[in-house]
Amino acid sequence: MTRATSAPAPADPGDELLALHRAGRLAASYPDLKSLLARLPEAGTVRAAQLLSRVDPDAVLREHPGLPALSVAVTGHGTLSALVPALALEAARHGIVLRTAVSDFDSYVFDLSDPGSALHAAAHDLVLCLLDPMIVMDELPTPWRPEDVEAVLAEKTALLDGLTARFAASGSGTLVLNTMPLPRALVAQLVDHRSRARLGAVWREANARLLRLAETRPELVVLDLDPHAAEGVAVTDPRLSVYAKAHLSPGMLSCYAREAGHLARIVAGQPKKCLAVDLDQTLWGGVLGDDGPDGIEVDGGSPRGEAFQTFQKVLKQLASQGVLLAAVSKNDLAPVREVVAGHPGMTLREEDFVRFAVNWRPKHENLKELAEDLNLAVDSVVFADDSPYECGLVRHELPGVSVVQLDEEPAGHVGKLLRDGWFDVRELTVEDRARPALYRVEAERKDFLHSFDSLQDYLRELGVRVRIGPVEERDVPRVAQLTLRTNQFNLTTRRLQATDVKELAARPDTRVLAVHAGDRFGENGLVGAVFTRRAGTTVHIDNFLLSCRVFSRGIEQTALAAVLRQAQADGAREVLAVYRESAKNTKVRDFYPQNGFEPVTETEDGLVLRHDLASVPPVPDHVQLTESSEGNTP
């Protein structure tokens, strides 16, 4: 039962990157950079960032037109050019192509407030407004007191609130602000502790006001930089601040870029949904097959055992927010189940996992089958393991899987797992919290399926229920999330933020329909959305998407039949739909043709198909359909 723990030493990733640059191959090799950068040590990131910032995004897209591409605008108070390489590095980590436009020095007020600014004139997916402490410090009198700082902070937070409102009225994309860490150099200018406490209070209150702006403005994200400062990242570099007017340190800019990279992955529709974890030396210390249940370290009886227990608590926290947790381990299943079910030191129990892929097969094969079993794309999976051999093998065999390589020090497991924000979302929904339980119920559905001789008999007894109607206010975040996270049954892969969904729902010529589903095993929740638009006697289906959890139960045919039936009742003469192929939605290429649509023309937006409404397909016999009343409520 000896575990494979070593592999041939790989080439230095920094040298590999430099060789690709010198050969002019960075653009051609761009999709492969994810695995290369995953091995890059921290010391090599500065050089790597500089090399990647020189890559022409258009050259990358000519070589790889299917890669996700985002337009990013950068504005702020100080010199911003140092942020560009850091952003290029983070984009390459996630396989995203960035077109980055940097504004002039200290132009953020004009950029965000004036509809005639270049920032407003172009459509951007992300607008990064980089805030730094000098926004406040530059306006302090000499000498100053905490009350002066409080007054400037109040003025600046009010200004940013107004700028956000103006941007929302005429700008595009997601606006990103950030908190401003309090520099020690400012605190230390006060000699009495009472004044220092007052300064700390008013500064943190201002940052809290910034963070709360995002609670009422769906177009806004506020990145919190205070946790990075708390972990020892320098807020400023005095020389760069004075001579280059770059007021955040390179380390803090790197942290900012990493956070922005996580957000870019969300906006680009590159979600991670499943965390597959090893067991031996990952969830517990020791090797279960050698040490037995009593010999593994997994409780507070030892410092190492406490570290493993802490890691399990973090995994349980992630699972409670919709992350699908799976065990992938080379072990015998029976003793693993025994430990998970009964070991007093275990925090994670069987109900926390959606699957156990515990056997002696290669882990990349188990990961591939796990993704298929959960009806997920394999690049939705994050794999965490302490073995360099297993990590290297998975990177090689399944390059789409994100690999978190742990090591022999369990105290570092949490930091390594959380460093890249793999499971970040814009907003947590009710469906997110329920997701692991829904996937566990899905296993019961599959067992139920296997008890029938035919799929039709299974569907008839499953008792599928579908409710379709105009989206309600409370469902807007979930509908937006579906456009961002759904890739397989997504007919156009257009990504929308919550503000976009609300605007479409409020327009008189458009309808945003939410699709809810359930069956004998319970409710599936909001599983799909259809976006339609009326133009004269033509109804356009601008997008149609459905969660991968509920494929092939007749839900998609039912929703389409309801849309066609409503169009017919409203006096429309035809329905036009678009299918835009992507790397992940080819399985639904024939969805419209199989339901009475005929191809009309190919445009830059995709293949246009037409239904003449002469014969509307019926709702499948095994589905009970409920249609809600007209009128969008957001």
Side-chain angles (χ1 to χ4, degrees):
M1 297 183 183
T2 303
R3 306 173 78 236
T5 57
S6 63
D12 179 81
D15 291 342
E16 288 185 62
L17 195 70
L18 182 60
L20 288 171
H21 165 70
R22 287 173 173 168
R25 297 284 301 163
L26 279 176
S29 304
Y30 199 83
D32 302 323
L33 298 183
K34 286 196 292 184
S35 64
L36 190 153
L37 294 172
R39 298 186 286 111
L40 185 72
E42 194 66 33
T45 57
V46 174
R47 183 176 72 168
Q50 292 295 335
L51 294 176
L52 291 166
S53 68
R54 302 173 195 171
V55 178
D56 180 3
D58 292 326
V60 176
L61 292 172
R62 281 194 298 271
E63 295 273 359
H64 310 285
L67 287 178
L70 298 179
S71 173
V72 178
V74 180
T75 187
H77 172 62
T79 301
L80 305 169
S81 56
L83 182 59
V84 175
L87 289 173
L89 173 65
E90 297 306 324
R93 284 189 198 274
H94 302 300
I96 298 169
V97 182
L98 291 189
R99 290 190 174 94
T100 305
V102 180
S103 292
D104 294 333
F105 179 83
D106 196 19
S107 61
Y108 74 102
V109 175
F110 171 74
D111 286 339
L112 295 179
S113 63
D114 191 336
S117 70
L119 188 148
H120 280 267
H124 297 290
D125 299 293
L126 287 173
V127 175
L128 308 180
C129 179
L130 184 64
L131 306 177
D132 61 68
M134 293 304 294
I135 290 176
V136 176
M137 294 166 67
D138 279 349
E139 300 199 12
L140 293 178
T142 302
W144 57 269
R145 296 186 300 175
E147 292 77 10
D148 299 312
V149 177
E150 184 175 21
V152 176
L153 284 167
E155 176 190 331
K156 294 301 181 183
T157 53
L159 171 65
L160 289 165
D161 188 11
L163 292 176
T164 302
R166 289 176 209 163
F167 173 83
S170 57
S172 65
T174 297
L175 176 62
V176 182
L177 303 178
N178 59 273
T179 58
M180 298 172 290
L182 175 60
R184 187 184 180 278
L186 189 66
V187 178
Q189 293 178 44
L190 297 171
V191 298
D192 71 291
H193 288 283
R194 188 178 297 278
S195 293
R196 289 178 179 179
R198 174 68 177 157
L199 173 63
V202 299
W203 196 280
R204 288 170 178 83
E205 286 163 4
N207 276 334
R209 289 197 295 274
L210 283 177
L211 291 167
R212 290 195 189 99
L213 288 179
E215 295 177 0
T216 56
R217 299 196 179 280
E219 68 282 351
L220 176 66
V221 170
V222 181
L223 302 180
D224 191 359
L225 299 187
D226 273 347
H228 299 292
E231 292 188 349
V233 178
V235 177
T236 63
D237 180 310
R239 295 177 73 251
L240 290 174
S241 183
V242 171
Y243 298 127
K245 304 304 178 186
H247 300 307
L248 291 178
S249 72
M252 189 60 74
L253 281 181
S254 177
C255 292
Y256 177 94
R258 187 173 287 266
E259 299 275 359
H262 303 165
L263 183 58
R265 191 177 64 240
I266 297 168
V267 173
Q270 305 290 305
K272 299 294 182 180
K273 301 178 182 180
C274 176
L275 174 58
V277 292
D278 176 42
L279 298 177
D280 294 331
Q281 303 290 18
T282 297
L283 288 197
W284 54 67
V287 177
L288 179 60
D290 294 338
D291 302 322
D294 295 332
I296 61 173
E297 297 175 286
V298 70
D299 56 35
S302 71
R304 280 177 58 83
E306 185 177 352
F308 286 111
Q309 197 174 63
T310 298
F311 187 54
Q312 290 195 28
K313 290 178 180 179
V314 171
L315 297 185
K316 194 177 184 77
Q317 173 68 17
L318 293 176
S320 74
Q321 299 169 91
V323 177
L324 305 176
L325 185 62
V328 177
S329 174
K330 288 182 176 177
N331 256 306
D332 292 322
L333 181 58
V336 166
R337 286 193 181 276
E338 179 185 341
V339 166
V340 173
H343 195 292
M346 288 289 294
T347 298
L348 294 169
R349 296 300 183 188
E350 191 156 349
E351 61 269 18
D352 295 307
F353 295 87
V354 295
R355 295 292 187 277
F356 282 87
V358 177
N359 51 51
W360 295 97
R361 298 173 55 205
K363 290 190 178 181
H364 66 274
E365 293 182 5
N366 278 326
L367 288 169
K368 187 175 181 181
E369 287 190 6
L370 171 68
E372 292 172 353
D373 189 35
L374 296 175
N375 207 6
L376 299 175
V378 74
D379 60 5
S380 297
V381 177
V382 175
F383 173 61
D385 198 306
D386 69 296
S387 164
Y389 173 83
E390 299 290 0
C391 290
L393 186 61
V394 169
R395 283 194 185 106
H396 182 268
E397 296 294 331
L398 299 174
V401 171
S402 298
V403 176
V404 178
Q405 186 168 326
L406 308 175
D407 55 31
E408 69 279 357
E409 177 49 77
H413 285 7
V414 171
K416 287 182 170 64
L417 176 63
L418 299 181
R419 185 168 185 261
D420 277 297
W422 294 116
F423 305 103
D424 288 4
V425 295
R426 281 287 299 269
E427 181 176 354
L428 205 64
T429 67
V430 173
E431 284 79 7
D432 288 328
R433 296 189 185 279
R435 185 178 297 116
L438 294 173
Y439 271 88
R440 286 191 291 271
V441 171
E442 189 60 29
E444 298 179 32
R445 289 190 181 90
K446 291 187 176 181
D447 291 340
F448 187 61
L449 168 62
H450 295 153
S451 68
F452 289 89
D453 295 329
S454 72
L455 177 62
Q456 201 57 40
D457 290 342
Y458 160 72
L459 291 173
R460 190 176 297 112
E461 291 299 319
L462 187 60
V464 178
R465 303 182 300 276
V466 173
R467 176 168 57 87
I468 184 170
V471 66
E472 298 181 10
E473 178 77 30
R474 66 176 179 271
D475 293 330
V476 166
R478 169 60 176 165
V479 170
Q481 186 187 73
L482 279 171
T483 73
L484 294 170
R485 292 173 62 91
T486 302
N487 289 301
Q488 296 181 73
F489 198 110
N490 188 333
L491 275 298
T492 67
T493 64
R494 291 193 181 96
R495 313 300 181 182
L496 300 174
Q497 303 300 329
T499 49
D500 302 320
V501 174
K502 290 186 72 171
E503 288 172 5
L504 288 170
R507 284 170 47 177
D509 60 334
T510 61
R511 299 178 78 218
V512 180
L513 301 174
V515 181
H516 296 76
D519 56 36
R520 64 182 294 159
F521 290 98
E523 295 302 316
N524 295 118
L526 202 167
V527 296
V530 186
F531 295 81
T532 69
R533 172 172 48 88
R534 182 71 181 258
T537 59
T538 300
V539 171
H540 297 262
I541 300 178
D542 289 331
N543 201 6
F544 190 139
L545 40 100
L546 191 72
S547 169
C548 58
R549 285 189 290 112
V550 295
F551 287 176
S552 304
R553 299 179 196 168
I555 297 170
E556 55 268 46
Q557 290 85 358
T558 299
L560 183 59
V563 169
L564 295 176
R565 194 160 65 184
Q566 186 63 53
Q568 192 179 56
D570 290 342
R573 295 183 179 177
E574 62 178 358
V575 173
L576 297 181
V578 176
Y579 168 69
R580 183 170 64 181
E581 184 172 322
S582 72
K584 298 180 182 179
N585 72 356
T586 53
K587 67 167 58 180
V588 296
R589 180 191 291 120
D590 297 327
F591 173 66
Y592 285 131
Q594 289 172 350
N595 288 278
F597 284 75
E598 296 288 339
V600 175
T601 185
E602 187 82 39
T603 71
E604 62 179 14
D605 292 327
L607 176 65
V608 179
L609 304 99
R610 177 180 183 272
H611 197 293
D612 61 11
L613 297 177
S615 177
V616 174
V619 173
D621 292 339
H622 66 275
V623 178
Q624 175 188 335
L625 171 64
T626 302
E627 296 179 75
S628 302
S629 60
E630 290 291 326
N632 292 313
T633 58

